[in-house]
Amino acid sequence: MIINGEKLDLKELKLMDFLKEKGYKIELIALELNGEIISKDRFENLILKENDKAEIVSFVGGG
């Protein structure tokens, strides 16, 4: 699987475990998985598979 351009040699990965490990704030991110935007209500049970490609975008405020 590829997450934000980085190849991970895993068969499966629970999305929420990955997000927590990396310190993402769930309310401040968007997820695109294989070209589709995924709603936050699906995050808890989402398992990323070997051939998935995910992009995680964090929103930051500032000026």
Side-chain angles (χ1 to χ4, degrees), residues 26-42:
I26 304 306
E27 64 276 6
L28 297 177
I29 65 168
L31 172 67
E32 178 185 310
L33 179 60
N34 301 321
E36 176 186 348
I37 301 298
I38 305 299
S39 63
K40 286 183 177 59
D41 63 346
R42 292 181 52 199

Side-chain angles (χ1 to χ4, degrees), residues 2 5 8 13-15 19 23-24 26 28-29 32 34 36-38 46-47 50 53 55-56 59 61:
I2 298 173
L8 303 178
L13 175 63
K14 188 170 182 184
L15 175 66
L19 294 175
Y24 284 102
I26 304 306
L28 297 177
I29 65 168
E32 178 185 310
N34 301 321
E36 176 186 348
I37 301 298
I38 305 299
L46 187 64
I47 305 225
E50 185 175 15
K53 183 176 180 183
E55 291 293 328
I56 302 167
F59 300 101

